Amino acid sequence: MSDNPAFDTIKSEIDKNDVVLFMKGTPLFPQCGFSNLVVQVLTHLEVPFEGVNVLDDDDVRQGIKDFSNWPTIPQLYVKGEFVGGCDIIKEMFEEGELHAYLADKGVPVRGMATA
Amino acid sequence: MAGTVEAAIRQKLNAAFSPQSIEIVNESDSHSGHAGHDGSGESHFRVYLVSDKFAGQNRVARQRAIYDVLADELAGPIHAFSVTARTPDEIG
């Protein structure tokens, strides 16, 4: 794929966690309005997720843009699949698609019966 | 009066997507004093684009196509950029 060393870090986060949000700041203290919006949506849907603060590591901050071929942050991954950034997550949430998408992927989400 | 960055965004999107409708909102002034506000007055934009070129493309593909066209601006002066991309059929 590439010899970019940040890709290993990114790949390992995506492999390790079903839902990963690459964001500015942390889920508790987002440092960007767009990252905050996605955190609020995931929190509202009661989705467990891992937040990766790209401000902690310049290589990951640039690396995730190259990895996804997507020049902006935040970026949401579910089960290894790139879902989108803030605009897409907001649209999917508003149109009721995000809940269905997450449930379909087998991710625990608000209102879903647990086995 | 539109600035040079806004003019470049409009020209490139018009050329690439021949949109039925295009709206570019410069939100830079509402972010003054905030990180990424560089004083240029052209750092934060919101774009609404309606084009039949988006037909058959999912959200990620549409936004990626827009990002590709505006790669220079996104790598340079633009700090924040929001996109809504629709086809004419989706406008109800």
Side-chain angles (χ1 to χ4, degrees):
Chain A
M1 189 151 64
S2 158
D3 51 9
N4 187 328
F7 281 13
D8 288 340
T9 313
I10 291 165
K11 192 80 175 50
S12 121
E13 291 290 349
I14 292 170
D15 287 345
K16 223 166 35 187
N17 304 287
D18 283 352
V19 184
V20 189
L21 181 63
F22 293 88
M23 60 179 291
K24 293 182 179 175
T26 65
L28 275 178
F29 294 102
Q31 294 185 39
C32 154
F34 300 110
S35 290
N36 182 50
L37 189 144
V38 178
V39 167
Q40 296 307 316
V41 166
L42 294 175
T43 304
H44 176 78
L45 290 175
E46 299 172 8
V47 175
F49 70 99
E50 178 73 18
V52 175
N53 183 0
V54 303
L55 301 178
D56 280 346
D57 187 333
D58 274 346
D59 290 339
V60 172
R61 182 176 184 171
Q62 182 55 46
I64 189 64
K65 298 178 181 179
D66 299 332
F67 184 85
S68 309
N69 183 26
W70 194 264
T72 57
I73 290 160
Q75 297 185 15
L76 184 69
Y77 276 84
V78 175
K79 296 262 171 109
E81 184 173 272
F82 175 65
V83 186
C86 176
D87 295 320
I88 287 173
I89 301 306
K90 181 168 178 283
E91 273 186 34
M92 288 177 75
F93 175 66
E94 288 172 349
E95 289 167 27
E97 283 173 45
L98 188 60
H99 190 282
Y101 172 82
L102 291 165
D104 191 52
K105 286 276 178 185
V107 171
V109 59
R110 179 182 193 162
M112 193 180 72
T114 46
Chain B
M1 187 63 192
T4 53
V5 178
E6 182 174 335
I9 294 172
R10 186 177 303 277
Q11 186 266 322
K12 290 183 177 182
L13 292 177
N14 274 329
F17 298 102
S18 315
Q20 275 75 12
S21 173
I22 179 170
E23 190 181 339
I24 301 171
V25 183
N26 181 345
E27 300 184 322
S28 305
D29 287 345
S30 59
H31 294 268
S32 61
H34 157 85
H37 186 270
D38 58 6
S40 68
E42 291 205 288
S43 52
H44 294 62
F45 289 95
R46 179 177 294 274
V47 168
Y48 302 89
L49 206 54
V50 179
S51 167
D52 49 25
K53 291 210 163 45
F54 296 133
Q57 291 187 322
N58 67 17
R59 291 189 174 90
V60 169
R62 290 176 186 189
Q63 196 160 338
R64 211 169 249 151
I66 293 169
Y67 280 154
D68 283 347
V69 168
L70 300 178
D72 289 345
E73 284 71 25
L74 287 163
I78 297 179
H79 167 72
F81 189 72
S82 288
V83 172
T84 304
R86 296 271 191 273
T87 64
D89 287 347
E90 292 165 354
I91 302 299

